[in-house]
Amino acid sequence: MSVWPAWEVWEGERSTRWLHVRLAFRDGATIEALASVGEGWVCVEDVQARPALALEDLAVFADWIEGPLARACGAEPEPGEGTGGTHREEPPGGRAGWPLVARAYRAAQERGADPVLAVMDQTGYSRRGALRLIGRTRDAGLLSPRHARR
């Protein structure tokens, strides 16, 4: 992820900064945003993503950029706030990564959270990549088969 300043406006002692944010993923997906940062607030002004983001993905995006934006403005994020992806564990290739995917998926189900988002968060993969990992994990027998919805 890269963050760089766009411009800054001063009003007396207070300033508002606009920052460009760019995330590029291994699968070729990109997210570019313009965020404004003031005293105690952050506002995402514009987001462009290829492929398009679902609403759930926007929440994950906010978590990813929170820490890097704070650091770009000279502040450290509070404990537990976004870290810009540094906490995501990359699954090893092949069969060795499937147990990690299965654990993240089941833990999210038990919490009542979205299991796909949990796998995305754990692995750093896009939604499409996480769905592929989940499918392979199912095929390997580490997750129960999907039930047909009626």
Side-chain angles (χ1 to χ4, degrees):
M1 175 178 356
S2 56
V3 178
W4 66 97
W7 63 88
E8 186 172 6
V9 175
W10 285 88
E11 294 179 48
E13 296 293 316
R14 295 184 175 190
S15 72
T16 301
R17 295 178 183 176
W18 280 263
L19 301 157
H20 292 286
V21 179
R22 184 177 190 340
L23 285 89
F25 299 92
R26 276 178 266 146
D27 65 357
T30 59
I31 304 172
E32 295 187 20
L34 179 65
S36 57
V37 180
E39 289 186 26
W41 56 268
V42 173
C43 180
V44 176
E45 304 282 341
D46 182 44
V47 176
Q48 295 180 5
R50 287 176 190 81
L53 293 174
L55 287 177
E56 304 90 46
D57 297 332
L58 283 174
V60 175
F61 174 69
D63 290 339
W64 284 341
I65 67 171
E66 188 173 15
L69 283 176
R71 284 187 290 280
C73 293
E76 283 301 314
E78 295 292 322
E81 287 184 359
T83 59
T86 57
H87 70 285
R88 285 167 186 75
E89 184 178 339
E90 186 68 30
R95 298 180 63 87
W98 296 337
L100 171 73
V101 172
R103 279 192 304 274
Y105 190 95
R106 281 194 216 99
Q109 278 184 323
E110 290 171 9
R111 292 191 317 267
D114 183 342
V116 177
L117 287 178
V119 172
M120 289 170 60
D121 185 51
Q122 189 68 29
T123 64
Y125 276 51
S126 68
R127 186 168 196 82
R128 187 178 302 143
L131 287 169
R132 265 189 247 118
L133 282 172
I134 291 166
R136 289 182 188 131
T137 304
R138 278 188 203 290
D139 292 345
L142 296 173
L143 289 173
S144 61
R146 277 187 69 98
H147 299 295
R149 292 186 180 161
R150 298 176 187 229

